[in-house]
Amino acid sequence: MAVAGWNEADAREIIARLAPIEGALLPILHALQDEFGYVDAAADEMIADALNISRAEVFGAIAFYHDFRRAPAGRRVVKICRAEACQANGCEQLITELRARHGLAPDETSNDRLTIETVYCLGNCALGPAALVDGELVARLDADRLAKICDGGSIEDAQVAAGASA
Ligand code: FES
């Protein structure tokens, strides 16, 4: 999904529009991230002022929810599930291999090209290890497929290969 670059005027408009609703903090953060691809640090004070809360509360919400980013994501976004069922299916070994062989790791690798993040359950527990790649679910990941995906490879190929390994 194409997102606009950070724009303070647009951010102010989003915050002002959503501030009156009850429990506005999370809707505002989601709306900012939808619009800009991340929640710029400059938004913290604007949100705090609009909701009459502290900047620490805004910061705390952003830090608590893994979905919120503080910087734009790479062109490819890989969200690797590390919840219990995927752990039982070997996700941590995949992550260890990814780090050892390619120097990439969830919640550490983020650049123009690639962002890798941790998620906890994608609702695909029976077919783990699972990942969400640019919003598309990929099941039964193995180390080679994960590496190819991180290298910008075809999501569809990874999905087909997962089906073939069933
Ligand atoms: S535990 Fe990974 S998809 Fe549910």
Side-chain angles (χ1 to χ4, degrees):
M1 180 181 75
V3 293
W6 170 254
N7 176 299
E8 189 174 320
D10 289 350
R12 279 194 194 287
E13 192 278 321
I14 289 168
I15 294 166
R17 177 164 44 85
L18 295 174
I21 68 174
E22 197 172 324
L25 178 55
L26 291 181
I28 287 172
L29 293 174
H30 280 295
L32 292 173
Q33 181 149 304
D34 286 349
E35 181 71 17
F36 305 114
Y38 71 107
V39 180
D40 195 281
D44 292 13
E45 190 165 358
M46 293 158 56
I47 297 168
D49 288 348
L51 300 183
N52 199 24
I53 60 177
S54 71
R55 282 169 58 185
E57 286 174 87
V58 178
F59 182 86
I62 293 168
F64 182 79
Y65 294 101
H66 284 268
D67 269 356
F68 296 126
R69 292 195 187 93
R70 279 310 211 171
R75 286 188 296 281
R76 164 128 312 164
V77 178
V78 180
K79 298 183 178 207
I80 302 175
C81 177
R82 300 176 81 172
E84 201 171 325
C86 283
Q87 283 190 19
N89 283 317
C91 71
E92 293 304 322
Q93 289 92 322
L94 292 186
I95 290 166
T96 300
E97 272 197 60
L98 190 66
R99 183 192 293 277
R101 286 168 45 185
H102 304 281
L104 304 172
D107 309 317
E108 295 174 22
T109 299
S110 189
N111 51 49
D112 288 355
R113 195 178 61 80
L114 174 67
T115 296
I116 309 177
E117 298 174 336
T118 296
V119 289
Y120 291 95
C121 198
L122 296 164
N124 196 44
C125 310
L127 299 177
L132 207 59
V133 184
D134 297 344
E136 301 276 335
L137 191 61
V138 180
R140 293 194 172 100
L141 272 174
D142 60 28
D144 287 342
R145 232 164 30 242
L146 179 58
K148 278 184 193 154
I149 284 168
C150 289
D151 199 32
S154 158
I155 298 169
E156 194 180 354
D157 286 354
Q159 291 169 325
V160 169
S165 70

Short mmCIF file of all heavy atoms in Angstrom, two decimals, residues 14-66:
data_model
loop_
_atom_site.label_atom_id
_atom_site.label_comp_id
_atom_site.label_asym_id
_atom_site.label_seq_id
_atom_site.Cartn_x
_atom_site.Cartn_y
_atom_site.Cartn_z
N ILE A 14 -6.00 14.80 11.06
CA ILE A 14 -6.41 13.44 11.50
C ILE A 14 -6.66 13.44 13.00
O ILE A 14 -7.67 12.91 13.49
CB ILE A 14 -5.32 12.41 11.12
CG1 ILE A 14 -5.30 12.20 9.61
CG2 ILE A 14 -5.53 11.09 11.86
CD1 ILE A 14 -4.08 11.44 9.09
N ILE A 15 -5.74 14.02 13.75
CA ILE A 15 -5.86 14.04 15.21
C ILE A 15 -7.11 14.81 15.63
O ILE A 15 -7.88 14.36 16.48
CB ILE A 15 -4.58 14.62 15.83
CG1 ILE A 15 -3.40 13.68 15.57
CG2 ILE A 15 -4.77 14.87 17.34
CD1 ILE A 15 -2.03 14.30 15.84
N ALA A 16 -7.33 15.96 15.01
CA ALA A 16 -8.49 16.79 15.38
C ALA A 16 -9.80 16.07 15.05
O ALA A 16 -10.77 16.15 15.80
CB ALA A 16 -8.42 18.12 14.63
N ARG A 17 -9.79 15.35 13.94
CA ARG A 17 -11.02 14.65 13.52
C ARG A 17 -11.37 13.52 14.48
O ARG A 17 -12.54 13.28 14.80
CB ARG A 17 -10.82 14.11 12.10
CG ARG A 17 -11.98 13.31 11.54
CD ARG A 17 -11.89 13.13 10.03
NE ARG A 17 -10.57 12.80 9.55
CZ ARG A 17 -10.07 11.56 9.51
NH1 ARG A 17 -10.79 10.54 9.93
NH2 ARG A 17 -8.86 11.34 9.04
N LEU A 18 -10.36 12.81 14.98
CA LEU A 18 -10.62 11.62 15.80
C LEU A 18 -10.61 11.91 17.30
O LEU A 18 -11.11 11.10 18.08
CB LEU A 18 -9.58 10.54 15.47
CG LEU A 18 -9.66 9.98 14.05
CD1 LEU A 18 -8.51 9.02 13.78
CD2 LEU A 18 -10.99 9.29 13.81
N ALA A 19 -10.04 13.03 17.71
CA ALA A 19 -9.90 13.30 19.14
C ALA A 19 -11.22 13.26 19.92
O ALA A 19 -11.23 12.79 21.07
CB ALA A 19 -9.21 14.66 19.34
N PRO A 20 -12.35 13.70 19.32
CA PRO A 20 -13.59 13.69 20.11
C PRO A 20 -14.14 12.30 20.42
O PRO A 20 -14.99 12.16 21.30
CB PRO A 20 -14.58 14.46 19.22
CG PRO A 20 -13.73 15.24 18.27
CD PRO A 20 -12.51 14.39 18.04
N ILE A 21 -13.73 11.28 19.71
CA ILE A 21 -14.34 9.97 19.97
C ILE A 21 -13.78 9.39 21.27
O ILE A 21 -12.68 9.72 21.69
CB ILE A 21 -14.14 8.98 18.80
CG1 ILE A 21 -12.67 8.57 18.66
CG2 ILE A 21 -14.65 9.54 17.51
CD1 ILE A 21 -12.47 7.48 17.62
N GLU A 22 -14.57 8.51 21.88
CA GLU A 22 -14.14 7.91 23.13
C GLU A 22 -12.98 6.95 22.88
O GLU A 22 -12.98 6.21 21.89
CB GLU A 22 -15.32 7.15 23.76
CG GLU A 22 -15.10 6.86 25.22
CD GLU A 22 -16.35 6.30 25.86
OE1 GLU A 22 -17.46 6.73 25.50
OE2 GLU A 22 -16.19 5.42 26.73
N GLY A 23 -11.99 6.97 23.75
CA GLY A 23 -10.83 6.10 23.56
C GLY A 23 -10.09 6.41 22.28
O GLY A 23 -9.73 5.51 21.50
N ALA A 24 -9.84 7.68 22.04
CA ALA A 24 -9.34 8.12 20.73
C ALA A 24 -7.87 7.79 20.47
O ALA A 24 -7.44 7.80 19.32
CB ALA A 24 -9.54 9.64 20.59
N LEU A 25 -7.12 7.48 21.52
CA LEU A 25 -5.67 7.33 21.33
C LEU A 25 -5.33 6.28 20.27
O LEU A 25 -4.58 6.55 19.32
CB LEU A 25 -5.00 6.99 22.67
CG LEU A 25 -3.48 6.76 22.60
CD1 LEU A 25 -2.76 7.94 21.97
CD2 LEU A 25 -2.94 6.48 24.01
N LEU A 26 -5.85 5.07 20.42
CA LEU A 26 -5.50 4.02 19.47
C LEU A 26 -6.03 4.30 18.07
O LEU A 26 -5.29 4.14 17.09
CB LEU A 26 -5.94 2.65 19.97
CG LEU A 26 -5.18 2.13 21.20
CD1 LEU A 26 -5.69 0.76 21.61
CD2 LEU A 26 -3.68 2.09 20.95
N PRO A 27 -7.28 4.74 17.92
CA PRO A 27 -7.73 5.10 16.57
C PRO A 27 -6.86 6.17 15.92
O PRO A 27 -6.58 6.11 14.71
CB PRO A 27 -9.16 5.62 16.80
CG PRO A 27 -9.62 4.89 18.03
CD PRO A 27 -8.39 4.76 18.89
N ILE A 28 -6.41 7.14 16.69
CA ILE A 28 -5.53 8.17 16.13
C ILE A 28 -4.21 7.56 15.67
O ILE A 28 -3.73 7.83 14.56
CB ILE A 28 -5.27 9.30 17.16
CG1 ILE A 28 -6.52 10.16 17.32
CG2 ILE A 28 -4.08 10.16 16.74
CD1 ILE A 28 -6.44 11.18 18.45
N LEU A 29 -3.62 6.72 16.52
CA LEU A 29 -2.34 6.11 16.16
C LEU A 29 -2.49 5.24 14.90
O LEU A 29 -1.64 5.28 14.00
CB LEU A 29 -1.79 5.28 17.33
CG LEU A 29 -1.39 6.09 18.57
CD1 LEU A 29 -1.01 5.14 19.71
CD2 LEU A 29 -0.25 7.05 18.26
N HIS A 30 -3.57 4.46 14.84
CA HIS A 30 -3.80 3.64 13.64
C HIS A 30 -3.98 4.52 12.41
O HIS A 30 -3.45 4.21 11.33
CB HIS A 30 -5.02 2.74 13.83
CG HIS A 30 -4.74 1.52 14.65
ND1 HIS A 30 -3.89 0.52 14.22
CD2 HIS A 30 -5.17 1.14 15.87
CE1 HIS A 30 -3.83 -0.43 15.15
NE2 HIS A 30 -4.58 -0.06 16.17
N ALA A 31 -4.73 5.59 12.56
CA ALA A 31 -4.99 6.45 11.40
C ALA A 31 -3.71 7.11 10.92
O ALA A 31 -3.47 7.22 9.70
CB ALA A 31 -6.03 7.51 11.77
N LEU A 32 -2.87 7.53 11.85
CA LEU A 32 -1.59 8.14 11.45
C LEU A 32 -0.71 7.11 10.74
O LEU A 32 -0.09 7.42 9.72
CB LEU A 32 -0.86 8.71 12.67
CG LEU A 32 -1.53 9.92 13.33
CD1 LEU A 32 -0.80 10.28 14.63
CD2 LEU A 32 -1.56 11.12 12.39
N GLN A 33 -0.68 5.91 11.29
CA GLN A 33 0.17 4.90 10.66
C GLN A 33 -0.39 4.51 9.28
O GLN A 33 0.39 4.30 8.35
CB GLN A 33 0.31 3.67 11.55
CG GLN A 33 1.21 2.64 10.90
CD GLN A 33 1.98 1.81 11.89
OE1 GLN A 33 2.70 2.34 12.72
NE2 GLN A 33 1.82 0.52 11.80
N ASP A 34 -1.71 4.43 9.17
CA ASP A 34 -2.30 4.13 7.85
C ASP A 34 -1.93 5.21 6.84
O ASP A 34 -1.66 4.93 5.68
CB ASP A 34 -3.83 4.04 7.96
CG ASP A 34 -4.27 2.75 8.62
OD1 ASP A 34 -3.43 1.85 8.82
OD2 ASP A 34 -5.46 2.67 8.98
N GLU A 35 -1.96 6.45 7.29
CA GLU A 35 -1.70 7.56 6.38
C GLU A 35 -0.23 7.69 6.00
O GLU A 35 0.11 7.89 4.84
CB GLU A 35 -2.17 8.88 7.04
CG GLU A 35 -1.99 10.11 6.20
CD GLU A 35 -2.95 10.18 5.00
OE1 GLU A 35 -3.96 9.45 5.01
OE2 GLU A 35 -2.67 10.93 4.05
N PHE A 36 0.65 7.56 7.00
CA PHE A 36 2.07 7.86 6.76
C PHE A 36 2.97 6.63 6.78
O PHE A 36 4.16 6.73 6.47
CB PHE A 36 2.57 8.85 7.81
CG PHE A 36 1.74 10.11 7.89
CD1 PHE A 36 1.00 10.40 9.02
CD2 PHE A 36 1.68 10.98 6.82
CE1 PHE A 36 0.22 11.55 9.09
CE2 PHE A 36 0.91 12.13 6.87
CZ PHE A 36 0.17 12.41 8.01
N GLY A 37 2.43 5.49 7.19
CA GLY A 37 3.24 4.28 7.26
C GLY A 37 3.95 4.12 8.59
O GLY A 37 4.56 3.10 8.86
N TYR A 38 3.89 5.13 9.43
CA TYR A 38 4.50 5.09 10.76
C TYR A 38 3.95 6.27 11.56
O TYR A 38 3.25 7.12 11.01
CB TYR A 38 6.03 5.17 10.66
CG TYR A 38 6.58 6.51 10.24
CD1 TYR A 38 7.23 7.33 11.16
CD2 TYR A 38 6.46 6.97 8.94
CE1 TYR A 38 7.74 8.56 10.78
CE2 TYR A 38 6.96 8.20 8.55
CZ TYR A 38 7.60 8.99 9.48
OH TYR A 38 8.09 10.22 9.11
N VAL A 39 4.28 6.28 12.85
CA VAL A 39 3.84 7.38 13.71
C VAL A 39 5.07 8.22 14.04
O VAL A 39 5.93 7.80 14.83
CB VAL A 39 3.19 6.88 15.01
CG1 VAL A 39 2.74 8.05 15.87
CG2 VAL A 39 2.01 5.96 14.69
N ASP A 40 5.16 9.34 13.39
CA ASP A 40 6.33 10.20 13.60
C ASP A 40 6.36 10.70 15.04
O ASP A 40 5.31 10.99 15.64
CB ASP A 40 6.25 11.40 12.63
CG ASP A 40 7.56 12.13 12.54
OD1 ASP A 40 7.86 12.91 13.46
OD2 ASP A 40 8.28 11.89 11.55
N ALA A 41 7.57 10.82 15.58
CA ALA A 41 7.72 11.30 16.97
C ALA A 41 7.11 12.69 17.16
O ALA A 41 6.66 13.04 18.26
CB ALA A 41 9.19 11.31 17.36
N ALA A 42 7.04 13.45 16.08
CA ALA A 42 6.45 14.80 16.17
C ALA A 42 4.96 14.74 16.51
O ALA A 42 4.39 15.73 16.97
CB ALA A 42 6.66 15.54 14.86
N ALA A 43 4.35 13.58 16.29
CA ALA A 43 2.91 13.46 16.57
C ALA A 43 2.63 13.33 18.06
O ALA A 43 1.52 13.64 18.51
CB ALA A 43 2.34 12.25 15.84
N ASP A 44 3.61 12.90 18.83
CA ASP A 44 3.36 12.62 20.25
C ASP A 44 2.76 13.83 20.98
O ASP A 44 1.76 13.72 21.67
CB ASP A 44 4.65 12.20 20.96
CG ASP A 44 5.16 10.85 20.49
OD1 ASP A 44 4.67 10.35 19.45
OD2 ASP A 44 6.06 10.30 21.14
N GLU A 45 3.42 14.95 20.78
CA GLU A 45 2.97 16.15 21.50
C GLU A 45 1.60 16.61 20.97
O GLU A 45 0.74 17.05 21.74
CB GLU A 45 4.00 17.27 21.36
CG GLU A 45 3.70 18.44 22.27
CD GLU A 45 4.90 19.37 22.41
OE1 GLU A 45 5.96 19.07 21.83
OE2 GLU A 45 4.73 20.39 23.09
N MET A 46 1.42 16.50 19.68
CA MET A 46 0.14 16.91 19.10
C MET A 46 -1.00 16.06 19.66
O MET A 46 -2.08 16.56 19.98
CB MET A 46 0.21 16.76 17.56
CG MET A 46 1.19 17.73 16.93
SD MET A 46 1.80 17.21 15.28
CE MET A 46 0.31 17.01 14.38
N ILE A 47 -0.76 14.76 19.77
CA ILE A 47 -1.79 13.85 20.30
C ILE A 47 -2.02 14.14 21.78
O ILE A 47 -3.17 14.22 22.25
CB ILE A 47 -1.37 12.38 20.10
CG1 ILE A 47 -1.24 12.05 18.62
CG2 ILE A 47 -2.36 11.44 20.77
CD1 ILE A 47 -0.56 10.70 18.34
N ALA A 48 -0.92 14.28 22.52
CA ALA A 48 -1.04 14.54 23.96
C ALA A 48 -1.86 15.80 24.21
O ALA A 48 -2.75 15.82 25.08
CB ALA A 48 0.36 14.67 24.58
N ASP A 49 -1.59 16.86 23.45
CA ASP A 49 -2.33 18.11 23.61
C ASP A 49 -3.81 17.91 23.28
O ASP A 49 -4.69 18.39 24.00
CB ASP A 49 -1.74 19.20 22.70
CG ASP A 49 -0.40 19.68 23.20
OD1 ASP A 49 -0.03 19.34 24.35
OD2 ASP A 49 0.29 20.38 22.45
N ALA A 50 -4.07 17.20 22.19
CA ALA A 50 -5.46 17.04 21.74
C ALA A 50 -6.27 16.20 22.72
O ALA A 50 -7.48 16.44 22.89
CB ALA A 50 -5.47 16.39 20.36
N LEU A 51 -5.62 15.23 23.37
CA LEU A 51 -6.36 14.32 24.26
C LEU A 51 -6.19 14.68 25.73
O LEU A 51 -6.74 14.01 26.60
CB LEU A 51 -5.90 12.87 24.03
CG LEU A 51 -6.09 12.33 22.61
CD1 LEU A 51 -5.67 10.86 22.54
CD2 LEU A 51 -7.53 12.49 22.13
N ASN A 52 -5.38 15.71 25.96
CA ASN A 52 -5.11 16.15 27.35
C ASN A 52 -4.53 15.01 28.18
O ASN A 52 -4.97 14.73 29.30
CB ASN A 52 -6.40 16.71 27.99
CG ASN A 52 -6.07 17.57 29.19
OD1 ASN A 52 -4.96 18.12 29.29
ND2 ASN A 52 -7.01 17.68 30.12
N ILE A 53 -3.56 14.34 27.59
CA ILE A 53 -2.82 13.29 28.30
C ILE A 53 -1.33 13.62 28.18
O ILE A 53 -0.96 14.56 27.48
CB ILE A 53 -3.11 11.88 27.72
CG1 ILE A 53 -2.72 11.81 26.23
CG2 ILE A 53 -4.57 11.51 27.92
CD1 ILE A 53 -2.92 10.42 25.61
N SER A 54 -0.50 12.85 28.86
CA SER A 54 0.93 13.15 28.81
C SER A 54 1.56 12.52 27.56
O SER A 54 1.05 11.56 26.99
CB SER A 54 1.62 12.60 30.06
OG SER A 54 1.65 11.19 30.01
N ARG A 55 2.69 13.07 27.17
CA ARG A 55 3.43 12.48 26.05
C ARG A 55 3.89 11.08 26.41
O ARG A 55 4.01 10.21 25.54
CB ARG A 55 4.64 13.37 25.69
CG ARG A 55 4.21 14.57 24.89
CD ARG A 55 5.31 15.58 24.75
NE ARG A 55 6.51 15.04 24.13
CZ ARG A 55 7.63 15.72 23.99
NH1 ARG A 55 7.71 16.97 24.43
NH2 ARG A 55 8.68 15.20 23.42
N ALA A 56 4.15 10.86 27.70
CA ALA A 56 4.58 9.52 28.13
C ALA A 56 3.48 8.49 27.87
O ALA A 56 3.77 7.35 27.51
CB ALA A 56 4.94 9.54 29.62
N GLU A 57 2.23 8.90 28.04
CA GLU A 57 1.12 7.96 27.76
C GLU A 57 1.06 7.63 26.27
O GLU A 57 0.81 6.49 25.89
CB GLU A 57 -0.21 8.56 28.22
CG GLU A 57 -0.38 8.54 29.72
CD GLU A 57 -1.65 9.27 30.15
OE1 GLU A 57 -2.71 8.63 30.19
OE2 GLU A 57 -1.56 10.48 30.45
N VAL A 58 1.28 8.63 25.44
CA VAL A 58 1.28 8.39 23.99
C VAL A 58 2.44 7.47 23.65
O VAL A 58 2.27 6.46 22.95
CB VAL A 58 1.41 9.73 23.22
CG1 VAL A 58 1.47 9.46 21.72
CG2 VAL A 58 0.27 10.66 23.57
N PHE A 59 3.60 7.81 24.16
CA PHE A 59 4.80 7.01 23.89
C PHE A 59 4.59 5.57 24.38
O PHE A 59 4.95 4.60 23.70
CB PHE A 59 6.00 7.64 24.59
CG PHE A 59 7.28 6.92 24.32
CD1 PHE A 59 8.05 7.20 23.20
CD2 PHE A 59 7.72 5.93 25.19
CE1 PHE A 59 9.22 6.51 22.95
CE2 PHE A 59 8.90 5.24 24.95
CZ PHE A 59 9.64 5.53 23.82
N GLY A 60 3.98 5.43 25.56
CA GLY A 60 3.76 4.11 26.13
C GLY A 60 2.87 3.25 25.25
O GLY A 60 3.13 2.06 25.06
N ALA A 61 1.83 3.86 24.70
CA ALA A 61 0.92 3.10 23.83
C ALA A 61 1.66 2.65 22.57
O ALA A 61 1.51 1.51 22.12
CB ALA A 61 -0.29 3.96 23.46
N ILE A 62 2.46 3.53 22.01
CA ILE A 62 3.20 3.18 20.78
C ILE A 62 4.20 2.06 21.08
O ILE A 62 4.36 1.13 20.29
CB ILE A 62 3.91 4.42 20.22
CG1 ILE A 62 2.88 5.43 19.73
CG2 ILE A 62 4.86 4.03 19.07
CD1 ILE A 62 3.45 6.80 19.43
N ALA A 63 4.85 2.15 22.23
CA ALA A 63 5.85 1.14 22.58
C ALA A 63 5.18 -0.20 22.90
O ALA A 63 5.74 -1.26 22.60
CB ALA A 63 6.66 1.62 23.78
N PHE A 64 3.98 -0.14 23.48
CA PHE A 64 3.31 -1.37 23.91
C PHE A 64 2.80 -2.19 22.73
O PHE A 64 2.90 -3.41 22.71
CB PHE A 64 2.16 -1.03 24.85
CG PHE A 64 1.44 -2.23 25.39
CD1 PHE A 64 1.99 -2.97 26.44
CD2 PHE A 64 0.24 -2.65 24.84
CE1 PHE A 64 1.34 -4.10 26.92
CE2 PHE A 64 -0.41 -3.77 25.32
CZ PHE A 64 0.15 -4.49 26.36
N TYR A 65 2.23 -1.51 21.76
CA TYR A 65 1.63 -2.22 20.62
C TYR A 65 2.66 -2.35 19.50
O TYR A 65 3.07 -1.37 18.91
CB TYR A 65 0.38 -1.48 20.12
CG TYR A 65 -0.73 -1.49 21.13
CD1 TYR A 65 -0.98 -0.38 21.93
CD2 TYR A 65 -1.51 -2.62 21.31
CE1 TYR A 65 -2.00 -0.38 22.88
CE2 TYR A 65 -2.54 -2.63 22.26
CZ TYR A 65 -2.77 -1.52 23.03
OH TYR A 65 -3.76 -1.54 23.96
N HIS A 66 3.00 -3.60 19.22
CA HIS A 66 4.06 -3.86 18.23
C HIS A 66 3.71 -3.35 16.84
O HIS A 66 4.60 -3.15 16.02
CB HIS A 66 4.34 -5.36 18.16
CG HIS A 66 5.15 -5.86 19.31
ND1 HIS A 66 6.52 -5.94 19.26
CD2 HIS A 66 4.80 -6.26 20.54
CE1 HIS A 66 6.97 -6.39 20.41
NE2 HIS A 66 5.94 -6.60 21.20
#
